[in-house]
Amino acid sequence: MSSSPHKPLVYIISAPSGSGKSTLVNELLKSVRDLDFSISYTTRAPRGSEQNGRQYFFVSRSEFEKMVRDGEFLEHAEVFGNYYGTARRFLRDAEYKGHDLLLDIDVQGAEQIQRKLPEAISIFILPPDRKTLEERLRRRSEDREDVIQRRLLTASREIQNYGRYNYILINDRLPESIEVLRAIVWSERGHRADRPSTDEPTGTMAIADRCRLANIGERLKPILASFELPVESGTG
Ligand code: ADP
Ligand code: 5GP
């Protein structure tokens, strides 16, 4: 390992539930080297095939509260009635290993990280429109109808925060979205002097730049309209 300390790049990914975030994150982790996933702690019960220590560390409320008191979290928040938190040790481990770190967290967590780590790179994933989001939530068939309706309402609220993120990724066609997400990661690495990029295809920066908040412009309008949000929303 090199003697100079490695400052990990921290990527924050947020999205309304059902947008395809888990699918995209899984694909990204398979194909990008030296990128660790921060496994969050949560008080919610495991779903389906979820395993402790893989998607999450599942803990009791009292265990979670003790971790908060002991200062073990970089950020934590209550989401859908359960606690979720990012353990500080994942950042330390990434630093030690010379890796970068990916956080899959909600908009409240993103705000806390942005205050503590202003250089973190934030990505907000959007569905192509409300109807598609509803279809994806149904197709996943993990939730009851009332939960799906609640997730759709929450989605509208969360989407209003898109303006706090560096990049906006509209998850329409999956293969394209994976390519764009990879381009963002590579492009950000390429900007770092201590991380000369070696294996990124040409055009990567241009693909990533199209998703920068400042460049997303007109592509957002129909999405916001489908959620009945004003076009000028986006600052929370
Ligand atoms: P999230 O993690 O954001 O809640 P998931 O990754 O579980 O969302 O995706 C929700 C559903 O939508 C899943 O059934 C997934 O296979 C599907 N999905 C994800 N991305 C796409 C896409 N680009 N096109 C079509 N279906 C998708
Ligand atoms: P789910 O229970 O569906 O896996 O996740 C619900 C929400 O909690 C998602 O928006 C997810 O990004 C968010 N989340 C997961 N882990 C954390 C975390 O450690 N901190 C915060 N603030 N949110 C998290």
Side-chain angles (χ1 to χ4, degrees):
M1 185 187 285
S2 107
S3 57
S4 62
H6 164 86
K7 201 157 171 257
L9 290 182
V10 174
Y11 296 93
I12 302 171
I13 301 201
S14 303
S17 178
S19 306
K21 181 177 53 174
S22 315
T23 309
L24 288 169
V25 165
N26 287 335
E27 290 300 323
L28 181 74
L29 292 169
K30 273 191 230 162
S31 57
V32 175
R33 70 192 152 77
D34 297 346
L35 181 64
D36 293 351
F37 179 67
S38 162
I39 303 169
S40 296
Y41 284 75
T42 182
T43 60
R44 86 150 160 75
R47 281 200 293 249
S49 60
E50 285 180 336
Q51 288 170 12
N52 190 34
R54 275 198 75 184
Q55 294 81 5
Y56 286 104
F57 292 105
F58 297 98
V59 294
S60 66
R61 276 183 104 83
S62 61
E63 283 170 307
F64 193 98
E65 283 160 358
K66 180 170 186 317
M67 289 182 73
V68 174
R69 284 196 303 274
D70 292 346
E72 290 191 43
F73 290 122
L74 201 54
E75 65 75 33
H76 63 92
E78 194 171 335
V79 187
F80 295 123
N82 291 300
Y83 293 141
Y84 293 81
T86 304
R88 288 183 193 280
R89 72 181 159 83
F90 278 91
L91 190 58
R92 283 200 301 266
D93 289 353
E95 191 167 349
Y96 178 74
K97 290 190 277 183
H99 289 182
D100 296 328
L101 189 64
L102 183 72
L103 311 182
D104 167 346
I105 57 178
D106 84 325
V107 291
Q108 307 170 74
E111 216 180 320
Q112 294 176 47
I113 298 289
Q114 284 164 338
R115 271 201 304 270
K116 287 186 184 160
L117 307 171
E119 287 175 10
I121 300 130
S122 54
I123 305 159
F124 197 81
I125 296 169
L126 280 173
D129 53 51
R130 187 183 186 283
K131 189 164 156 280
T132 310
L133 179 64
E134 190 165 353
E135 282 165 9
R136 287 186 188 163
L137 284 168
R138 291 239 156 77
R139 192 156 6 106
R140 192 169 65 177
S141 53
E142 264 179 6
D143 300 315
R144 292 196 319 258
E145 185 55 32
D146 59 324
V147 177
I148 289 179
Q149 291 309 322
R150 192 164 53 125
R151 288 199 190 280
L152 285 167
L153 271 179
T154 309
S156 295
R157 224 181 39 232
E158 287 172 335
I159 288 171
Q160 294 180 54
N161 293 286
Y162 75 84
R164 299 168 189 248
Y165 288 73
N166 302 125
Y167 293 93
I168 310 292
L169 198 172
I170 301 165
N171 180 20
D172 196 346
R173 286 188 52 254
L174 191 58
E176 218 170 87
S177 302
I178 295 165
E179 195 191 327
V180 172
L181 189 53
R182 242 186 250 137
I184 294 171
V185 170
W186 278 333
S187 159
E188 288 290 338
R189 281 182 172 178
H191 285 127
R192 285 275 300 258
D194 65 335
R195 276 299 190 92
S197 46
T198 50
D199 54 359
E200 68 198 48
T202 48
T204 296
M205 298 251 179
I207 296 173
D209 276 350
R210 265 174 51 79
C211 296
R212 279 188 190 278
L213 182 63
N215 300 335
I216 200 80
E218 293 295 308
R219 283 183 289 157
L220 265 186
K221 286 188 180 169
I223 304 174
L224 295 175
S226 75
F227 284 92
E228 294 179 8
L229 293 169
V231 170
E232 67 275 13
S233 66
T235 49

